[in-house]
Amino acid sequence: GKPPSVTIAVERGGGSLERTYQVPAIRCEGCASSIREALGKVPGVEGTEVSVEHKTVAVRFDPARVDEARIRTALQGAGFPAA
Protein backbone atom coordinates (compact mmCIF):
# COMPACT_ATOMS: atom_id res chain seq x y z
CA GLY A 1 0.00 0.00 0.00
CA LYS A 2 0.90 3.65 0.04
CA PRO A 3 3.23 4.77 2.83
CA PRO A 4 1.57 7.22 5.22
CA SER A 5 2.39 10.80 4.39
CA VAL A 6 4.92 12.27 6.75
CA THR A 7 3.80 15.42 8.46
CA ILE A 8 6.58 17.50 9.92
CA ALA A 9 5.49 19.52 12.93
CA VAL A 10 6.54 23.14 12.85
CA GLU A 11 5.51 24.00 16.38
CA ARG A 12 9.01 24.67 17.65
CA GLY A 13 9.21 28.38 17.02
CA GLY A 14 12.42 30.10 16.11
CA GLY A 15 14.66 27.04 16.41
CA SER A 16 14.76 25.69 12.90
CA LEU A 17 15.80 27.10 9.58
CA GLU A 18 14.77 25.88 6.17
CA ARG A 19 17.01 25.99 3.12
CA THR A 20 16.34 24.79 -0.40
CA TYR A 21 19.16 23.43 -2.54
CA GLN A 22 19.22 22.86 -6.30
CA VAL A 23 20.41 19.30 -6.90
CA PRO A 24 20.69 18.61 -10.65
CA ALA A 25 21.49 14.90 -10.16
CA ILE A 26 17.97 14.06 -8.89
CA ARG A 27 16.37 11.92 -11.61
CA CYS A 28 13.86 9.67 -9.90
CA GLU A 29 12.10 8.73 -6.69
CA GLY A 30 15.00 6.39 -5.90
CA CYS A 31 17.34 9.40 -5.89
CA ALA A 32 14.92 11.19 -3.60
CA SER A 33 14.84 8.38 -1.07
CA SER A 34 18.66 8.10 -1.08
CA ILE A 35 18.83 11.80 -0.26
CA ARG A 36 16.20 11.54 2.48
CA GLU A 37 18.07 8.59 3.98
CA ALA A 38 21.45 10.35 3.87
CA LEU A 39 20.14 13.58 5.41
CA GLY A 40 18.06 11.68 7.95
CA LYS A 41 21.33 10.41 9.48
CA VAL A 42 22.65 13.93 10.06
CA PRO A 43 22.08 15.08 13.66
CA GLY A 44 20.15 18.34 13.67
CA VAL A 45 18.34 17.73 10.38
CA GLU A 46 14.62 17.74 11.22
CA GLY A 47 13.00 17.24 7.85
CA THR A 48 13.80 16.81 4.18
CA GLU A 49 11.51 17.33 1.21
CA VAL A 50 12.79 16.30 -2.18
CA SER A 51 11.17 17.40 -5.45
CA VAL A 52 12.11 15.14 -8.34
CA GLU A 53 10.27 17.43 -10.73
CA HIS A 54 12.08 20.61 -9.68
CA LYS A 55 15.35 18.89 -8.66
CA THR A 56 15.32 20.59 -5.28
CA VAL A 57 15.93 19.49 -1.72
CA ALA A 58 14.31 21.52 1.07
CA VAL A 59 15.98 20.83 4.39
CA ARG A 60 14.70 21.91 7.78
CA PHE A 61 17.43 21.90 10.39
CA ASP A 62 18.44 23.19 13.80
CA PRO A 63 21.29 25.68 13.22
CA ALA A 64 22.49 25.11 16.78
CA ARG A 65 23.25 21.49 15.92
CA VAL A 66 24.19 21.43 12.24
CA ASP A 67 25.37 23.96 9.66
CA GLU A 68 24.79 24.22 5.94
CA ALA A 69 28.31 22.99 5.16
CA ARG A 70 27.48 19.70 6.90
CA ILE A 71 24.24 19.40 4.92
CA ARG A 72 26.10 20.03 1.65
CA THR A 73 28.71 17.44 2.65
CA ALA A 74 25.97 14.87 3.32
CA LEU A 75 24.39 15.58 -0.09
CA GLN A 76 27.76 15.25 -1.79
CA GLY A 77 28.53 12.06 0.14
CA ALA A 78 25.26 10.58 -1.10
CA GLY A 79 26.30 11.42 -4.68
CA PHE A 80 23.94 14.38 -5.05
CA PRO A 81 26.00 17.56 -4.73
CA ALA A 82 24.06 20.80 -4.45
CA ALA A 83 24.58 23.21 -7.33
Side-chain angles (χ1 to χ4, degrees), residues 24-70:
I26 298 173
R27 303 212 192 308
C28 62
E29 194 45 55
C31 302
S33 50
S34 300
I35 290 170
R36 280 192 289 268
E37 192 179 331
L39 290 176
K41 292 177 183 158
V42 179
V45 170
E46 295 162 356
T48 307
E49 282 193 36
V50 184
S51 166
V52 176
E53 187 189 347
H54 298 110
K55 300 185 187 299
T56 57
V57 180
V59 184
R60 183 156 46 254
F61 62 97
D62 179 349
R65 296 178 63 207
V66 66
D67 60 13
E68 287 193 63
R70 178 73 186 86

